[in-house]
């Protein structure tokens, strides 16, 4: 950033514009309707927006450095009443310091310094008391190299950024942990086989290779989950719709679980005879069903009941349309009431029985990408109950 220098409190820059330190001590008064000028940054009447409607803090100073606009978001972020800020010098209303304890207004000197500057990029600064805030500034000039006639400052809290940073840190830690175990196993078994191949029997070799294969599948599954999260967060999750027989898909997943050792009588599937046609992404539907059924088997107890029935739902346009509801219920201890709101967040785990804690977050993203909804509750037997509803989703040419 370009920093202006000030040799004395009364110094005047080469541009002819005084610095904040050289501004007169008397207040210019509060901004009001009579003080508004054409092009005033606080004048939003033409578009029907008031400064208090803005989500971020807005502070505007005039050509003398006095605050003429201080919206409610700025008051909330700074804990300063608008009445105390309006008419005050901006360096007094916003006594900002950088992370090294230096006064930001002295460093940037918006009313002095180079006349080619247009503003300051967003950066972390400190308010009195050490509270961090994200600040950016814009210098409004009468002409490209003229004096500053308006100083526009925006303020944002750092809470959302901190949450994002924590989420990213948690994701990295989880990925590192989940990758380390299978990769260690793969490395160990392959190194052992390469070094002592002749010493092992065929059965021992097969066991080691099957373990390597299973761990490689685990790594592949984790990478697929990470890609899904990236697409969901960026809004790039693609849904390739085609006719889907949801009842057949449920049956296929139940057969796979019984083939892997689950007792056939542990599953109860109830399918209505009057299901509407469903247009969805079959691979994504398999992902939803596989995750919900695996969770019910791993974390639940007793009979796992899958109900498939027709229903109706309200779409984004506020119209009622047909849909298909799938409910997966187990007879385990269920999910505590205080955890219900966190079930579909990243890294939530219902127990310590493995898993990355990403599956249900991905399930929710897939369901919502189809225009559907998913909820969690307590089943009739006290266990967890997951219910998702998908709209018919038929192409427009079939509904016209």
């Amino acid at each position: 950033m370009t920093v202006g220098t000030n040799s004395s409190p009364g110094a005047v820059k080469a541009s002819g514009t005084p610095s904040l330190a050289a501004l007169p001590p008397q207040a210019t008064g509060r901004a009001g309707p009579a003080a508004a000028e054409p092009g005033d940054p606080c004048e939003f009447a033409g578009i029907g927006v008031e400064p208090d409607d803005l989500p971020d803090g807005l502070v505007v100073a005039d050509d003398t450095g006095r605050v003429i606009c201080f919206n409610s978001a700025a008051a909330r972020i700074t804990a300063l009443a608008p009445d105390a800020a309006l008419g005050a010098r901006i360096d007094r209303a916003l006594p900002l310091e950088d992370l090294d304890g230096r006064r930001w207004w002295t460093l940037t000197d918006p009313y002095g310094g180079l006349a080619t500057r247009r503003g300051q990029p967003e950066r972390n600064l400190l308010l009195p008391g050490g509270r961090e805030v994200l600040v950016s500034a814009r210098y409004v000039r009468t002409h490209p190299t003229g004096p500053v006639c308006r100083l526009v400052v925006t303020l944002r809290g750092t809470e959302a950024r901190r949450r994002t940073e924590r989420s990213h840190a948690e994701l990295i830690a989880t990925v590192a942990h989940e990758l380390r175990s299978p990769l260690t196993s793969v490395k160990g078994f392959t190194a052992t086989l390469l070094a002592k191949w002749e010493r092992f029997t065929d059965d021992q070799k097969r066991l080691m290779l099957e373990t390597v294969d299973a761990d490689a599948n685990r790594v592949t599954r984790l990478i697929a989950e990470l890609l899904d999260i990236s697409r969901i967060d960026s809004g790039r999750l693609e849904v390739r719709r085609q006719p889907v027989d949801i009842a057949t898909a449920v049956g296929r997943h139940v057969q796979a679980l019984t083939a892997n050792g689950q007792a056939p009588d542990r599953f109860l599937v109830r399918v209505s005879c009057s299901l509407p046609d469903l247009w969805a992404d079959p691979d994504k539907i398999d992902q939803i069903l596989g995750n919900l059924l695996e969770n019910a088997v791993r974390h639940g107890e007793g009979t796992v009941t899958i109900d498939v029935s027709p229903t109706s739902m309200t779409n984004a346009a506020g119209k009622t349309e047909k849909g298909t509801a799938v409910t997966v219920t187990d007879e385990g201890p269920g999910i505590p009431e205080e955890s219900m709101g966190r079930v579909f967040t990243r890294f939530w785990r219902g127990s310590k029985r493995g898993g990355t804690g990403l599956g249900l977050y991905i399930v929710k993203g897939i369901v919502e990408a189809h225009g559907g909804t998913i909820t969690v509750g307590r089943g009739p037997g006290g266990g967890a109950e997951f219910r998702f509803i998908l709209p018919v989703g038929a192409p427009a040419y079939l509904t016209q």
Side-chain angles (χ1 to χ4, degrees), residues 52-92:
D52 287 345
D53 296 331
L54 301 178
D56 295 336
L58 175 66
V59 182
V60 181
D62 62 13
D63 57 347
T64 68
R66 303 284 172 175
V67 176
I68 61 173
C69 180
F70 198 87
N71 72 349
S72 59
R76 172 178 51 81
I77 293 170
T78 62
L80 179 66
D83 289 343
L86 289 171
R89 281 171 39 173
I90 193 166
D91 59 336
R92 300 283 179 83

Side-chain angles (χ1 to χ4, degrees), residues 38-50:
D40 194 313
C42 277
E43 187 66 24
F44 295 96
I47 57 176
V49 177
E50 297 294 331

Side-chain angles (χ1 to χ4, degrees), residues 114-126:
L114 296 176
T116 56
R117 297 180 304 164
R118 302 180 61 185
Q120 297 293 333
E122 187 176 70
R123 61 180 298 178
N124 276 21
L125 296 175
L126 299 176

Side-chain angles (χ1 to χ4, degrees), residues 335-353:
I335 299 171
E337 291 291 336
E338 61 271 17
S339 299
M340 291 286 187
R342 297 186 288 112
V343 167
F344 297 108
T345 60
R346 291 182 184 180
F347 312 115
W348 183 86
R349 302 186 187 190
S351 69
K352 297 181 180 180
R353 302 181 189 177

Side-chain angles (χ1 to χ4, degrees), residues 133-211:
V133 62
L134 297 171
V135 181
S136 59
R138 173 78 173 183
Y139 305 156
V140 182
R141 303 179 185 273
T142 53
H143 55 275
T145 58
V148 174
C149 63
R150 289 289 186 270
L151 172 59
V152 183
V153 179
T154 59
L155 308 172
R156 292 196 298 132
T158 59
E159 294 81 6
R161 177 173 290 188
R162 294 296 185 197
R163 285 195 298 270
T164 301
E165 291 174 351
R166 284 196 298 269
S167 177
H168 289 167
E170 290 173 353
L171 180 60
I172 292 171
T174 299
V175 170
H177 174 76
E178 293 295 329
L179 285 175
R180 181 169 50 190
S181 178
L183 289 179
T184 300
S185 172
V186 169
K187 176 62 177 175
F189 279 119
T190 53
T192 301
L193 286 171
L194 288 172
K196 303 176 181 180
W197 179 267
E198 297 82 3
R199 299 185 185 183
F200 296 108
T201 66
D202 289 344
D203 289 341
Q204 289 173 327
K205 293 174 182 176
R206 174 176 290 278
L207 177 60
M208 290 184 182
L209 291 174
E210 287 176 347
T211 304

Side-chain angles (χ1 to χ4, degrees), residues 86 109 111 256 288 299:
L86 289 171
D109 196 6
Y111 291 94
I288 295 171
H299 305 292

